[in-house]
Amino acid sequence: MAEPQWLDKREARLWQSYCDTHRELMRALEARLISNSGLSGADYALLHPLSEAEDGVLRTRDLGRSVGWERSRLSHQVSRMEKRGLVCREECTSDARGSMVRLTALGRRAIDAAAPDHVDAVRAYFFNRLTTQEQSQLTTLLERITADLPTTCNPPDCDE
């Protein structure tokens, strides 16, 4: 086995800065979201794609893929949101093995109320700290990194 190529100081600083920034940005956004809307980051993560889907409904596996969650985590979060009346589950008419998640009227009101402040927070904590050129550069860099990452979802775990 080859000796690992350890990070040098510059690389270690960059990696740690990225990890710290991601963690603290997500923490700040979550805290503001909870404080101002009562929704958790997980609630918002699922309500957002549902709010943009045709008729506010997505197949469970597609919803999970859109947020990058495993089936178990998705199922638990949907159950919590179902109990609060934000979403409901339905059978999939085209595939008896599948299920659907539908945004309820309460869920629609919740995401519609939360979205403006959440966007303001994203602007304040992220975009307003970068020039337009820096935003373009960062987009290019992040897309390059993401493009070559291996997928982590195994087909049996993705299907619902």
Side-chain angles (χ1 to χ4, degrees), residues 91-105:
E91 290 183 14
C92 181
T93 56
S94 64
D95 181 358
R97 296 173 301 154
S99 66
M100 310 295 281
V101 178
R102 180 177 298 278
L103 184 64
T104 64

Side-chain angles (χ1 to χ4, degrees), residues 3 11 20-21 24-25 39-40 48 56-57 71 79 90 93 101 120 122 125 133 149 154 158:
E3 180 70 21
E11 292 168 329
D20 293 347
T21 299
E24 293 305 313
L25 180 59
L39 295 176
S40 69
H48 179 260
V57 64
R71 188 169 37 187
S79 292
E90 300 175 353
T93 56
V101 178
D120 285 346
V122 170
Y125 302 158
Q133 183 180 1
L149 291 176
N154 299 323
C158 291

Side-chain angles (χ1 to χ4, degrees), residues 38-99:
L39 295 176
S40 69
D43 293 335
Y44 195 92
L46 297 186
L47 290 174
H48 179 260
L50 288 169
S51 72
E52 293 189 336
E54 187 175 339
D55 297 325
V57 64
L58 287 171
R59 190 167 171 146
T60 303
R61 72 170 178 213
D62 295 334
L63 180 59
R65 285 178 181 153
S66 76
V67 295
W69 292 0
E70 294 178 3
R71 188 169 37 187
S72 175
R73 179 179 182 192
L74 180 65
S75 178
H76 289 296
Q77 182 62 33
V78 168
S79 292
R80 286 189 288 274
M81 293 170 71
E82 234 180 342
K83 288 176 185 170
R84 293 170 39 222
L86 300 171
V87 298
C88 63
R89 293 182 214 237
E90 300 175 353
E91 290 183 14
C92 181
T93 56
S94 64
D95 181 358
R97 296 173 301 154
S99 66

Side-chain angles (χ1 to χ4, degrees), residues 130-141:
L130 303 169
T131 67
T132 302
Q133 183 180 1
E134 289 169 334
Q135 292 173 22
S136 295
Q137 290 171 332
L138 187 55
T139 299
T140 299
L141 296 171

